Amino acid sequence: MKLGLIGYGNIAGSLLGVLAGQGFKAERLDVLARPGAEARAHDKLAPEGRAISDTFAVHASVEELIASGPDLVVEVATHVAVKESLIPCLRAGIDGVLVSVGALADAATEAALTAAAKEGGALLRIVPGAVGGIDMLAAARLSGGLEVTYTSRKPPLAWTGTPAEAKLDLATLDKAEVFYEGSARQAATDYPKNANVAATIALAGAGFEDTRVRMIADPEAPGNVHEYTVRSNALDFTIRLEGKPSPDNPKTSLSTVYSVARDILNAAGPVAI
């Protein structure tokens, strides 16, 4: 497999480390970085990158990435990168994996991704990331009568840099406080670095408008806790996952990295599970 990555941050570095640890080998590995950041990206990712492939390169433009001929491009960057880089790759006929799922809260972006995949004959895969049970949620949706409520509970400082700062004193919070209740679309729009799970659940289930979301800052939270309840004509269930935060970025659940790695390993075959 020829593997491409869009992004060179925390998830990218951890992902390459996991793949290397699993003995994954790629025919070549190509990474897209921001213009001017090529050297920094190369130095950061080279150790794990060269463990995965003897051919490792960093590019500053999506055109260069496409020209390198990847079989699969994995977006591990930002909502902006989804629009500027993943869409052209899909249009060029390259299968893609989307990690910044919250970008699809913007209806225009969702439509553009779908159109690009159709135009290029490519497949866009959305990884579950930090949440589980997405297979059963998607199956329950087909049965009708779907109601979904999702609660995101994280330590107060995990909400630093978000609108929660204007609602709570995160540094001194001594009890759990709900600071957001509303639709998955608004949650993913207002908290783009924290609401990928809300977006994933919405896409697999009741949709962005009808998926209800609660966000809680809780000093007693054991990590990034994701819990959602599903009611449908086929089955009812509740799932709770206590994700361990990434050591380099507490806003990211470490399980996200392993979810993306699983998807790449499945794509490489010979058996997918």
Side-chain angles (χ1 to χ4, degrees), residues 2-271:
K2 299 176 184 177
L3 178 63
L5 290 184
I6 298 173
Y8 61 95
N10 172 53
I11 295 179
S14 299
L15 172 63
L16 294 182
V18 171
L19 291 174
Q22 294 296 315
F24 172 80
K25 293 293 183 181
E27 182 178 340
R28 63 178 295 143
L29 173 64
D30 292 272
V31 177
L32 177 62
R34 297 191 307 272
E38 302 97 312
R40 184 163 65 252
H42 186 279
D43 291 345
K44 180 176 182 179
L45 301 181
E48 291 81 8
R50 296 201 183 283
I52 287 173
S53 178
D54 293 333
T55 304
F56 168 65
V58 177
H59 308 284
S61 74
V62 67
E63 291 79 14
E64 291 177 1
L65 177 64
I66 292 171
S68 71
D71 301 307
L72 178 70
V73 166
V74 181
E75 175 275 318
V76 285
T78 64
H79 291 194
V80 173
V82 171
K83 299 176 185 179
E84 296 182 351
S85 303
L86 184 57
I87 287 175
C89 288
L90 293 170
R91 191 176 293 119
I94 303 168
D95 289 349
V97 173
L98 176 66
V99 175
S100 300
V101 186
L104 298 189
D106 177 57
T109 299
E110 182 180 10
L113 281 164
T114 301
K118 287 182 178 178
E119 181 180 339
L123 176 66
L124 174 63
R125 298 203 297 273
I126 299 172
V127 294
V131 69
I134 294 301
D135 54 344
M136 291 311 299
L137 171 57
R141 178 189 64 194
L142 302 179
S143 73
L146 194 64
E147 297 179 6
V148 183
T149 301
Y150 163 63
T151 299
S152 176
R153 184 186 302 268
K154 298 183 181 183
L157 294 183
W159 298 106
T160 301
T162 76
E165 287 185 312
K167 301 178 181 181
L168 302 172
D169 186 347
L170 298 175
T172 62
L173 196 67
D174 59 2
K175 64 177 182 178
E177 294 282 358
V178 177
F179 61 86
Y180 175 85
E181 290 188 271
S183 71
R185 188 179 303 281
Q186 197 61 50
T189 300
D190 292 348
Y191 299 83
K193 294 183 179 180
N194 292 270
N196 281 334
V197 169
T200 301
I201 290 172
L203 286 165
F208 278 103
E209 299 300 340
D210 292 332
T211 298
R212 309 315 300 166
V213 173
R214 298 169 71 240
M215 292 182 174
I216 302 174
D218 183 357
E220 300 298 323
N224 298 339
V225 180
H226 307 286
E227 182 174 355
Y228 68 102
T229 298
V230 176
R231 299 287 180 264
S232 74
N233 291 336
L235 77 162
D236 302 334
F237 64 91
T238 296
I239 286 182
R240 175 185 169 95
L241 301 100
E242 296 182 4
K244 294 177 172 61
S246 167
D248 296 320
N249 182 359
K251 294 183 178 67
T252 299
S253 292
L254 190 57
S255 56
T256 297
V257 174
Y258 290 93
S259 177
V260 180
R262 168 187 169 273
D263 196 82
I264 294 171
L265 293 169
N266 276 344
V271 177

